[in-house]
Amino acid sequence: MEVPIVPPESLTNVVHPSVQSIPSEQIDATFSSTTIDLISAPLSSRILSFSDEWFASASNLLTPTPPIHRPGVFTHAGAWYDGWETRRHNPAPFDWVVVRLGVASGLVHGVEVDTAFFDGNHAPEVAVEGCFLDGEGADEEVQRHEGDAEAVLGGGGGFWRTILPRSECGPSRRHGWVVRGQQGVEEEKPVTHVRLLMFPDGGIARFRLYGTAVPILPKDPDTVFDLASAQNGAVAVACSDQHFGRKENLLLPGRGKDMGDGWETKRTRGEHVDWVVVRLGCRGEIDKIVVDTAHFRGNFPKAIRFFASDEASENDESASCPTKDEAWTEVLGEQKMGPDKEHEFRRGTGLINVEGKSWRWIKLVIIPDGGVKRLRILGKRK
């Protein structure tokens, strides 16, 4: 599995031989088509513990939407901020927050720390560490090491391993880093928990951990599960448009809370189609497709179609999506959509060309445009 390729001219401020800082405007392009945010709140990630959150809650770090600003609004603690902010004059070397990933474990490709609207009270420096610990009692064991300082202050060792070395942050801006294996640490080692450190205190609006899920797939090959779930390693790699809602939302668990956490394209005129391509979590047979238009009541697509492909490359995990028409096979003909409901299509009642075949890619085509909340591709691994 490869780290996303970043053009040399876009790399600035090399902070470590295995870490490259990325300009703010390059962050989305670098990570959005090859990774997911492993600690996004909709993936059921959670804050386990923190050193302090006097001014603003640590849980805001995991909010999937961009930070907002409310100048002149105050709470009992002080000015209102959409982020995590700690007290001044921290007597400890750093403040910290520990996060449990929203997937079983993940391989980290990049880090984003956004200090939006924190100006004069932003975190001057940050670092990110990780560990791998699963099974019963894992969270409790991690919390016993929540404030450890050996790795970050003692030059290595200890419970935590470095993902992002101590790096400078500026006020009110997005900071991104492509990370690779650190000195003395095996590359591509998955983590289950991460710890964000800020030196010595201050505020951070958002924390993103870009990577790929390392799912625990069913041992029984006949078990049917969601091949298109982000928690099972699926990634939305490309789309025609995502003007109102991002393609990654299609692969999240649950049915969401409103139109804002689905995939929605802009209005069009005349003949048109929009599309999204998903790399499934693993190659598999398709038993059922579910298209959910929850909360899309006046802006759902008129109709949909589905295509699938098993095109691969030498490195299947980092392969770009198939681009030639002949690489795609239609597996569901045009079907009418309705508002705010789950639409199911099964073998024998809609699906075609799926018997005895396995697929790595799926393409959803919506006619002519509109919004879809979730996509489920239920099947068996092959």
Side-chain angles (χ1 to χ4, degrees):
M1 206 173 288
E2 298 177 356
V3 172
I5 296 174
V6 182
E9 61 271 17
S10 72
L11 300 178
T12 60
N13 185 26
V14 177
V15 295
H16 186 278
S18 296
V19 175
Q20 288 121 4
S21 178
I22 312 169
S24 299
E25 64 273 15
Q26 294 293 322
I27 294 174
D28 291 338
T30 302
F31 299 116
S32 66
S33 294
T34 54
T35 68
I36 63 171
D37 180 5
L38 299 168
I39 54 172
S40 175
L43 275 182
S44 302
S45 62
R46 59 188 185 278
I47 303 292
L48 292 186
S49 55
F50 48 81
S51 57
D52 181 64
E53 57 173 5
W54 174 260
F55 289 108
S57 172
S59 63
N60 293 327
L61 290 168
L62 311 185
T63 302
T65 52
I68 61 174
H69 191 33
R70 292 180 178 174
V73 176
F74 290 82
T75 69
H76 172 74
W80 186 93
Y81 278 90
D82 185 10
W84 171 48
E85 186 181 5
T86 64
R87 294 176 177 88
R88 296 191 186 210
H89 317 306
N90 184 14
F94 53 82
D95 275 317
W96 50 265
V97 59
V98 176
V99 184
R100 176 65 169 92
L101 270 60
V103 296
S105 67
L107 296 168
V108 181
H109 294 179
V111 171
E112 179 185 346
V113 171
D114 188 352
T115 56
F117 308 116
F118 286 97
D119 189 350
N121 57 347
H122 64 282
E125 294 178 297
V126 298
V128 178
E129 298 171 332
C131 68
F132 182 93
L133 200 65
D134 61 358
E136 186 176 351
D139 290 349
E140 291 75 12
E141 178 62 22
V142 169
Q143 288 178 271
R144 281 193 277 272
H145 297 273
E146 58 191 16
D148 287 2
E150 290 92 340
V152 69
L153 299 179
F159 181 82
W160 298 96
R161 67 178 182 90
T162 300
I163 294 174
L164 175 71
R166 189 166 174 171
S167 304
E168 184 177 350
C169 282
S172 196
R173 71 189 69 165
R174 296 174 70 187
H175 307 77
W177 297 270
V178 173
V179 298
R180 297 181 176 91
Q182 303 304 303
Q183 293 177 350
V185 178
E186 181 185 354
E187 289 198 26
E188 303 284 43
K189 187 174 182 180
V191 297
T192 55
H193 302 74
V194 292
R195 183 172 69 157
L196 171 64
L197 313 174
M198 63 178 173
F199 303 85
D201 50 46
I204 297 171
R206 296 290 187 267
F207 176 34
R208 314 288 190 211
L209 195 73
Y210 298 113
T212 51
V214 181
I216 300 175
L217 299 179
K219 294 182 179 179
D220 184 352
D222 291 326
T223 300
V224 175
F225 65 102
D226 186 1
L227 298 165
S229 168
Q231 292 177 317
N232 290 330
V235 178
V237 298
C239 68
S240 58
D241 180 73
Q242 49 184 349
H243 188 83
F244 293 109
R246 297 188 62 82
K247 64 186 185 301
E248 294 86 0
N249 293 334
L250 287 168
L251 314 184
L252 295 174
R255 302 190 71 198
K257 61 179 182 178
D258 53 37
M259 285 196 309
D261 59 2
W263 172 54
E264 185 181 2
T265 66
K266 58 180 174 286
R267 291 187 187 222
T268 59
R269 300 292 184 261
E271 291 189 10
H272 182 82
V273 298
D274 280 316
W275 53 266
V276 61
V277 173
V278 175
R279 189 184 71 218
L280 301 176
C282 67
R283 184 173 284 99
E285 294 182 354
I286 299 175
D287 288 340
K288 182 171 74 169
I289 293 178
V290 180
V291 178
D292 190 356
T293 57
H295 305 111
F296 290 100
R297 302 181 179 96
N299 50 354
F300 57 93
K302 289 176 61 178
I304 61 164
R305 297 175 69 189
F306 271 94
F307 298 83
S309 174
D310 193 37
E311 186 172 289
S313 70
E314 292 182 5
N315 188 342
D316 190 40
E317 294 299 322
S318 62
S320 57
C321 66
T323 56
K324 297 179 180 179
D325 289 344
E326 56 265 31
W328 294 98
T329 299
E330 187 175 41
V331 294
L332 182 68
E334 187 170 323
Q335 302 287 330
K336 185 178 179 181
M337 288 287 100
D340 196 22
K341 65 177 291 188
E342 291 181 302
H343 306 75
E344 297 187 359
F345 308 97
R346 303 171 181 269
R347 293 190 185 196
T349 58
L351 296 185
I352 57 175
N353 300 320
V354 295
E355 291 292 339
K357 298 179 181 179
S358 62
W359 310 98
R360 190 68 171 96
W361 307 85
I362 199 82
K363 179 193 284 186
L364 164 62
V365 176
I366 61 175
I367 306 168
D369 51 46
V372 176
K373 177 55 70 72
R374 297 290 185 265
L375 168 63
R376 313 291 184 213
I377 306 295
L378 301 174
K380 306 168 186 176
R381 62 185 176 88
K382 284 293 179 181

